[in-house]
Amino acid sequence: MSKSIYQIVDDLPKINMTVRMLHALDWVVPGQWQNIVGFENTIKAVTGETDQKLIQKIGERAIALYNDKSQGYQRALWLYQTVDYVQGVAGFGALLSKLGESFSFLSFLDKLTPKSDTTQAVDLGLKVVTEIACFCQVNGIPGDSVGDFVESLADYKHEALMRMAAMICVDGLIPLGPDFLDKALALIDKTGASGLESNSRYNQIKEYIPGKNTAEQITFMQKGLSSVKDWSKSFVSSHNLGVDKVVASLRGTLPGVESHLDYLGAFLDMSVNYYEHTGTQSIARSLISRAAAEI
């Protein structure tokens, strides 16, 4: 039996490699993200409520909304979880837990193969498509509503803004450089249907990508990337982001990263699940906000 939403939120880690990475990038959107763990803690943080009986009612209503399969919350959470899943991540997680605070990035180099730029571009495209799909699922609107999603970016805050900031830094700037969106669009166009079909992430979430076939889904992915281009460029400019600055902020979490950038994208891909972590927090916030308004 799958876990309930309150169990999933209760089980969010207080500290692990993902949380360390998000804290290391906190300067990008200061004050927006807190690692709120626990369903009751989230209710209190979102609503400001202290009355235990009302907290209980809000929690029960939020759980009921999540369990209602006609709503999109379960599908959105599955998407956030699935797009972050990479084969082998569990093994790396076990190694990381043993190393703990004495973790050395260099010791993992013989375990990794740098990902190609094309694979990085597809992964970035799939992250954007997933964010669009989750936005549509949670808000009950058609899955191809790219325009509504782009308009909503202006209102992104808390976990959602942290997730987009991390995506720009970790899936954009570090692996693909300052012109990451232009480069990603060109590479996805070049990879074609067969190239996309060989990507494990694509195969896991393709049923939720608008399009009758792979070619149409590539077009939608390119549309999604193009749609966030202006917002992303403005975000990078206004926050003075650059590869060197982002990598420097990760130095405390990943010692030695400066001289091993080819491996950094692959390592982060294997060892963090920031989409699932912040996505779970976003869905919990959405459920609780709606539940509080309905009771």
Side-chain angles (χ1 to χ4, degrees):
M1 185 177 177
S2 59
K3 289 183 179 180
S4 64
I5 185 62
Y6 72 83
Q7 288 175 308
I8 293 168
V9 179
D10 281 351
D11 288 345
L12 283 172
K14 292 181 180 180
I15 190 69
N16 65 356
M17 185 58 69
T18 298
V19 175
R20 288 190 184 101
M21 186 201 78
L22 290 170
H23 280 309
L25 295 175
D26 183 67
W27 61 271
V28 181
V29 285
Q32 287 291 332
W33 178 73
Q34 289 180 295
N35 188 36
I36 304 170
V37 174
F39 198 61
E40 185 174 324
N41 289 337
T42 307
I43 294 172
K44 291 176 180 177
V46 171
T47 66
E49 191 55 63
T50 56
D51 183 271
Q52 200 61 40
K53 288 184 178 178
L54 193 51
I55 289 171
Q56 181 74 18
K57 286 183 179 179
I58 292 169
E60 289 171 354
R61 180 58 185 153
I63 291 166
L65 285 168
Y66 179 79
N67 290 341
D68 182 354
K69 291 188 177 179
S70 68
Q71 307 294 320
Y73 296 105
Q74 290 186 40
R75 291 186 293 276
L77 181 58
W78 181 87
L79 280 164
Y80 280 132
Q81 292 171 334
T82 304
V83 80
D84 249 352
Y85 174 78
V86 178
Q87 194 171 22
V89 72
F92 265 71
L95 287 170
L96 289 174
S97 67
K98 289 180 182 178
L99 288 168
E101 294 299 328
S102 63
F103 162 73
S104 169
F105 177 74
L106 302 179
S107 66
F108 282 88
L109 293 185
D110 62 342
K111 307 283 187 183
L112 292 172
T113 301
K115 295 166 70 176
S116 71
D117 283 354
T118 299
T119 303
Q120 297 280 10
V122 171
D123 284 353
L124 174 62
L126 290 171
K127 289 279 179 71
V128 171
V129 166
T130 295
E131 189 66 23
I132 295 170
C134 290
F135 167 81
C136 293
Q137 292 285 348
V138 167
N139 290 284
I141 58 180
D144 59 352
S145 300
V146 175
D148 291 329
F149 165 71
V150 173
E151 287 182 14
S152 77
L153 285 171
D155 300 319
Y156 261 41
K157 54 187 176 181
H158 306 307
E159 309 82 18
L161 189 58
M162 184 76 247
R163 183 169 55 257
M164 294 301 286
M167 183 190 73
I168 286 172
C169 294
V170 173
D171 288 293
L173 284 167
I174 288 176
L176 297 171
D179 297 320
F180 58 93
L181 280 173
D182 290 327
K183 191 171 182 179
L185 283 163
L187 288 166
I188 289 170
D189 185 56
K190 186 178 178 181
T191 191
S194 61
L196 186 59
E197 286 165 356
S198 67
N199 183 283
S200 60
R201 276 193 175 129
Y202 164 75
N203 286 307
Q204 288 165 344
I205 69 168
K206 63 182 179 182
E207 64 182 292
Y208 289 102
I209 303 176
K212 297 174 185 175
N213 52 47
T214 307
E216 289 188 6
Q217 290 178 327
I218 287 176
T219 299
F220 181 79
M221 192 185 303
Q222 291 172 318
K223 181 181 179 183
L225 284 167
S226 296
S227 74
V228 301
K229 191 172 176 180
D230 289 344
W231 180 85
S232 296
K233 285 189 174 181
S234 175
F235 188 91
V236 169
S237 176
S238 63
H239 292 79
N240 193 27
L241 297 181
V243 177
D244 291 345
K245 198 171 181 181
V246 170
V247 171
S249 70
L250 296 173
R251 189 180 295 134
T253 304
L254 303 171
V257 297
E258 300 92 335
S259 57
H260 297 88
L261 286 182
D262 286 350
Y263 291 93
L264 181 54
F267 176 80
L268 290 172
D269 203 38
M270 292 292 289
S271 59
V272 302
N273 61 332
Y274 74 91
Y275 243 61
E276 177 181 3
H277 190 94
T278 61
T280 300
Q281 292 173 326
S282 287
I283 288 169
R285 181 181 293 276
S286 179
L287 281 165
I288 290 163
S289 297
R290 181 176 166 184
E294 290 182 0
I295 62 171

